[in-house]
Amino acid sequence: TKRSTFCLVTKYMFILDSMAFFVSKEYQKYQMAILNSKVILFYVNKIVHQYGITGFRLSNQYVEIMPLPPITPSNESIVHQIESFVDKILSAKKENPQADTSDLEKDIDRLVYKLEPEEIEIIENGSI
């Protein structure tokens, strides 16, 4: 793949997956938002095995170590804002699978940056 894509799988859905998935009972929308953020895409492009220009293989060994910012009392309001944007995206996509949610996705990225502010310049400039 050229871009990591994570999704929520709800009850009574079945998945066929040859790569990686994980199970979580809490803050699933928050985790999905973080995993689909620019921060994680930057991380993936730096550490995951690349197949030339065709993309990368996102296997369990990489997903298991993805840096998800912990939820703390000081950032819990940001987490709730992120989940609110995820709800809006899911609602828009349910109504119209082709809906443009890029502005909401950018809003999520801005909130993710608030969780890890020292990484903004690194990610936006694309270098370490």
Side-chain angles (χ1 to χ4, degrees):
T1 185
K2 290 188 178 196
R3 180 168 173 89
S4 54
T5 303
F6 293 86
C7 65
L8 292 176
V9 178
T10 59
K11 194 173 185 177
Y12 304 116
M13 288 178 79
F14 295 93
I15 57 171
L16 298 172
D17 191 297
S18 62
M19 298 304 291
F21 64 93
F22 67 94
V23 178
S24 175
K25 292 184 180 188
E26 296 182 309
Y27 297 104
Q28 296 165 335
K29 293 174 186 175
Y30 164 75
Q31 292 170 348
M32 182 185 64
I34 299 294
L35 291 168
N36 285 312
S37 71
K38 272 186 165 181
V39 172
I40 293 296
L41 181 59
F42 180 84
Y43 174 80
V44 164
N45 283 320
K46 293 295 181 192
I47 67 137
V48 173
H49 178 78
Q50 301 287 318
Y51 287 106
I53 61 170
T54 60
F56 50 84
R57 181 182 171 109
L58 192 57
S59 60
N60 286 337
Q61 73 188 50
Y62 302 113
V63 174
E64 289 173 351
I65 61 170
M66 294 234 170
L68 297 176
I71 299 167
T72 65
S74 63
N75 71 12
E76 200 165 14
S77 66
I78 295 172
V79 171
H80 292 304
Q81 289 174 11
I82 289 170
E83 289 185 329
S84 173
F85 284 128
V86 169
D87 285 336
K88 289 176 183 177
I89 291 170
L90 292 174
S91 178
K93 292 292 186 178
K94 186 175 183 179
E95 189 174 306
N96 174 9
Q98 304 304 316
D100 179 12
T101 57
S102 57
D103 286 342
L104 292 167
E105 293 165 30
K106 288 175 187 174
D107 289 337
I108 289 172
D109 282 330
R110 282 191 280 280
L111 290 171
V112 172
Y113 287 151
K114 287 184 178 183
L115 296 171
E116 301 287 342
E118 64 278 359
E119 296 173 357
I120 296 171
E121 187 175 335
I122 293 169
I123 293 165
E124 288 299 320
N125 292 330
S127 63
I128 294 178

